[in-house]
Amino acid sequence: MSRMTIVGGGISGLAVAHRLAVSHEVTVLEAGDRLGGCLKSTTLGGHVGVGLDLGAEASLVRRPETRELAAELGLDLEFPSPHHSSQVLAAGRLQAIPKRTVMGVPGDPEVVRDLLGDAATARIAAEVLTPALADSDTSVGEFLAARLGDDLVDTLVDPLLSGVYAGRCRDLSLAATVPALLPAVAEGTSVLDLVTALLSARDDQAAASDAAPVFMSLVGGISRLIPALESAITAAGGQIRTNSPVTAVQRRDDGTWTLTTPEGEDTADTVVFATPAPVTAGLLAEAAPGPARRLRAVPYASTALVVALLDLGDGPLTGSGFLVPATADTFIKASTFASNKWPWLAERLPEGTALIRMSVGRFGDAPGTWQELDDTALRDRAFADWQEITGRTGDRIIVSQVQRWDDALPQYLPGHLGAMADLDAEIESIPGLELVGSAYAGVGIPACLARAETVAQRLSRPADHHPTETKETL
Ligand SMILES: Cc1cc2nc3c(=O)[nH]c(=O)nc-3n(C[C@H](O)[C@H](O)[C@H](O)COP(=O)(O)OP(=O)(O)OC[C@H]3O[C@@H](n4cnc5c(N)ncnc54)[C@H](O)[C@@H]3O)c2cc1C
């Protein structure tokens, strides 16, 4: 039986281990004292009778991967309240985010008139066509600003994208983050026409699927996938070791791998790195210097989340949260009213309280913006902003928790997908080495699961990538 070691016990590493543990000798080595990486939950010291996510909090419904995994693990899906609606801070007040857009880009400029005003709407309507960029990637923000103007980009597109990537849309790759708009880039044709066609196709799908929700979660948070995966892996015979940071990796002449942890050395026929790109780069610096260089070039954003149980002194909270454009120059960049968004959470809270999440930090923040503040100062600054933006000065924090996510979200800059395809080609020539995680083909949970599945399937094929099996079949 081939020995497979998976470095990193986030959702990507555990998903690979889950697939392989039934048929291989699988070991997961996790640096931290818990599994899950960016999936983590809290009960706020027992103040809340159910888990609340401190990191990722939802998964896209339209992609099948998370739904299928949850079904396999026997977990029932939960959906946001049908009444949930998000706002954006514009012209100094919270306003509804227009629904008929693709990542903030309307097909009909009229849908953003209330939000952006007459001049910005006229600029959008007068779309300026730019030359075709066949086969090349571009910055989503720069492309849309040239086509439709700065106001739309800064007020709507940027906060929506920042909510997913913690990045700035003028930095991010269009091909990687909003691939639906690629035809307009490649062919030099109208974005407005393209979005109109996309929305009309979306209408047809929604009619067919009875307006299915966009996101899903689980009672206790999406992070409940982690203990369920852990149980399934160990039940299938896989080994999981926490507090086992891999500090060095060597490829031996016979094609096997040696991994060093504080406990000693492990030998494996195949190593799957499920660690953030800079960590993987460091570990592969000697064994695979070319891939390590490419991995080192992927930048990461740091963010922090403050979750708080509120005493609603100002009465019921409405809506499911808000986004703040970077141009507004506030301390917080977004807030989710978690208990308004998720009925399973609201049902378990005392009357007159609510749970909120406040996010701080974007890629490219100057040092000293928030990182150096201690948790109390960070919470106080975030909540002061929250109160000012919402106008709810009568609400009080009952209990809160700060979670910092240092270098957690890879930034997909223009050219990212091409660079990762080149990386994959290089990795293919190194037997017994695989890479999974959010750095490669999508940061969301479904994309991480999809890559994990592809790698696990490849490794499950006999005589592929495993020196031991190759010898046996020969
Ligand atoms: C704040 C936040 C909110 C998010 N919200 C959403 C959301 O709502 N929906 C969504 O789909 N996605 C969301 N994401 C993205 C998604 O959660 C992540 O992209 C995904 O969970 C990454 O999983 P991963 O296993 O690839 O990496 P990680 O979760 O980063 O796991 C990597 C693991 O490797 C371990 N490790 C590191 N170094 C070593 C070492 N030397 N040896 C052994 N182990 C090591 C780490 O401790 C960690 O456990 C969010 C991310 C963040 C940070």
Side-chain angles (χ1 to χ4, degrees):
M1 206 193 262
S2 183
R3 292 160 302 176
M4 302 200 175
T5 298
I6 291 139
V7 185
I11 187 83
S12 299
L14 295 182
V16 175
H18 176 229
R19 279 286 166 267
L20 296 176
V22 278
S23 49
H24 295 84
E25 203 180 308
V26 164
T27 306
V28 179
L29 300 175
E30 163 56 45
D33 59 3
R34 63 166 188 93
L35 298 172
C38 299
L39 273 63
K40 181 179 181 184
S41 73
T42 180
T43 58
L44 291 175
H47 280 80
V48 184
V50 67
L52 162 74
D53 285 312
L54 278 169
E57 59 129 14
S59 192
L60 276 177
V61 173
R62 102 181 119 71
R63 292 193 56 150
E65 295 87 352
T66 316
R67 277 188 278 127
E68 288 173 5
L69 178 64
E72 223 179 298
L73 296 170
L75 300 169
D76 292 333
L77 304 185
E78 295 287 332
F79 301 101
S81 156
H83 311 298
H84 87 104
S85 62
S86 281
Q87 295 182 295
V88 63
L89 186 67
R93 65 192 172 89
L94 290 177
Q95 303 191 51
I97 294 180
K99 288 206 188 316
R100 293 191 61 75
T101 71
V102 170
M103 208 36 110
V105 181
D108 175 3
E110 286 308 313
V111 305
V112 296
R113 186 180 292 280
D114 285 351
L115 181 71
L116 300 179
D118 294 340
T121 306
R123 171 65 184 86
I124 295 166
E127 176 176 4
V128 178
L129 291 186
T130 48
L133 283 176
D135 299 329
S136 74
D137 195 4
T138 182
S139 138
V140 60
E142 296 300 346
F143 171 73
L144 288 172
R147 288 295 190 94
L148 306 172
D150 290 328
D151 287 338
L152 176 74
V153 168
D154 294 337
T155 309
L156 202 50
V157 179
D158 190 67
L160 285 167
L161 270 179
S162 177
V164 181
Y165 292 92
R168 293 165 194 264
C169 79
R170 286 171 200 262
D171 295 331
L172 292 169
S173 148
L174 185 138
T177 62
V178 202
L181 301 185
L182 263 181
V185 177
E187 293 153 25
T189 47
S190 163
V191 172
L192 295 179
D193 289 351
L194 175 62
V195 170
T196 302
L198 290 167
L199 292 174
S200 147
R202 194 167 83 183
D203 289 345
D204 293 346
Q205 274 170 8
S209 62
D210 203 13
V214 176
F215 293 108
M216 48 159 277
S217 177
L218 303 166
V219 172
I222 198 72
S223 42
R224 269 196 55 225
L225 288 170
I226 300 300
L229 277 170
E230 180 182 11
S231 302
I233 293 164
T234 48
Q239 274 195 40
I240 299 178
R241 301 199 329 242
T242 49
N243 296 309
S244 289
V246 173
T247 53
V249 174
Q250 251 187 313
R251 185 153 187 262
R252 293 204 191 127
D253 292 343
D254 66 357
T256 59
W257 298 80
T258 303
L259 297 105
T260 309
T261 69
E263 301 144 314
E265 289 189 343
D266 280 53
T267 303
D269 301 309
T270 297
V271 182
V272 181
F273 286 92
T275 36
V279 175
T280 312
L283 293 173
L284 283 176
E286 272 183 37
R293 256 192 307 279
R294 286 191 195 279
L295 288 164
R296 210 169 287 121
V298 179
Y300 272 68
S302 297
T303 62
L305 267 174
V306 184
V307 297
L309 178 66
L310 298 186
D311 174 27
L312 296 175
D314 281 347
L317 187 61
T318 53
S320 54
F322 60 83
L323 301 170
V324 187
T327 46
D329 211 17
T330 54
F331 188 73
I332 56 173
K333 62 167 196 176
S335 176
T336 306
F337 305 164
S339 49
N340 280 11
K341 182 169 177 182
W342 301 109
W344 59 265
L345 204 44
E347 283 159 14
R348 291 165 172 83
L349 288 188
E351 191 76 6
T353 66
L355 275 164
I356 61 166
R357 292 167 35 121
M358 297 171 274
S359 331
V360 175
R362 292 180 175 87
F363 180 64
D365 282 344
T369 323
W370 58 271
Q371 294 91 330
E372 283 77 13
L373 295 178
D374 66 25
D375 286 359
T376 306
L378 195 133
R379 179 204 62 197
D380 290 349
R381 289 278 310 271
F383 191 56
D385 251 23
W386 189 91
Q387 290 198 298
E388 194 179 326
I389 291 167
T390 59
R392 296 181 60 95
T393 49
D395 295 345
R396 291 282 168 266
I397 292 181
I398 299 168
V399 60
S400 65
Q401 187 169 334
V402 172
Q403 175 67 44
R404 291 168 196 265
W405 293 107
D406 294 334
D407 296 327
L409 279 156
Q411 299 295 295
Y412 286 18
L413 306 185
H416 180 85
L417 295 180
M420 293 302 104
D422 293 344
L423 170 69
D424 278 342
E426 285 174 19
I427 290 290
E428 227 174 283
S429 66
I430 307 175
L433 175 62
E434 295 283 358
L435 307 177
V436 295
S438 57
Y440 309 102
V443 299
I445 295 167
C448 290
L449 293 176
R451 184 160 173 113
E453 182 69 38
T454 304
V455 163
Q457 278 184 14
R458 185 158 56 228
L459 293 176
S460 298
R461 285 202 295 267
D464 192 5
H465 274 180
H466 327 306
T468 320
E469 290 189 5
T470 307
K471 276 178 214 142
E472 279 166 10
T473 41
L474 284 175

